[in-house]
């Protein structure tokens, strides 16, 4: 999913990531992988994502960082976000 630039760090962005993560847990997925631009790394880190590889050049987004979320470990945080 791509979130509009002005909504990326809003509650809408957080709830979209949490809803997708909950969907993954419900379907027995254990990990979620994304890539993000460096300026959004603090946002995703705050949601529980961790760097999963070396920075690379994405042909559309430019410099990107691969990240991973352990859905099993993040389940409580995901449920808390979606209940608000």
């Amino acid at each position: 999913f791509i979130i509009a630039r002005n909504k990326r760090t809003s509650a809408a962005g957080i709830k979209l990531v949490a809803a997708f993560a909950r969907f993954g847990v419900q379907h027995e997925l254990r990990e979620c992988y994304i890539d993000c631009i460096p300026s959004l790394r603090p946002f995703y880190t705050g949601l529980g994502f961790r760097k999963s590889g070396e920075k690379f050049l994405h042909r559309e987004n430019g410099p990107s960082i691969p990240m991973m979320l352990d859905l099993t470990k993040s389940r409580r945080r995901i449920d808390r976000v979606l209940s608000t």
Side-chain angles (χ1 to χ4, degrees):
F1 298 101
I2 299 175
I3 300 170
R5 184 178 302 267
N6 65 338
K7 301 286 185 190
R8 286 185 182 162
T9 57
S10 71
I14 293 167
K15 287 190 178 207
L16 178 61
V17 170
F20 180 76
R22 180 183 271 177
F23 175 86
V25 168
Q26 290 171 343
H27 289 83
E28 300 181 17
L29 300 176
R30 294 182 182 161
E31 300 170 338
C32 174
Y33 290 87
I34 64 166
D35 65 87
C36 76
I37 58 175
S39 64
L40 291 177
R41 185 176 180 181
F43 172 73
Y44 287 109
T45 299
L47 293 174
F49 282 87
R50 299 290 173 246
K51 184 177 172 186
S52 64
E54 294 303 312
K55 189 174 174 180
F56 66 98
L57 187 61
H58 189 285
R59 69 180 185 167
E60 294 176 4
N61 298 332
S64 294
I65 302 166
M67 301 187 83
M68 185 271 288
L69 177 65
D70 183 319
L71 296 173
T72 305
K73 291 180 181 178
S74 301
R75 188 171 192 153
R76 283 191 197 131
R77 180 184 295 175
I78 294 163
D79 289 339
R80 190 170 51 245
V81 168
L82 289 174
S83 67
T84 59

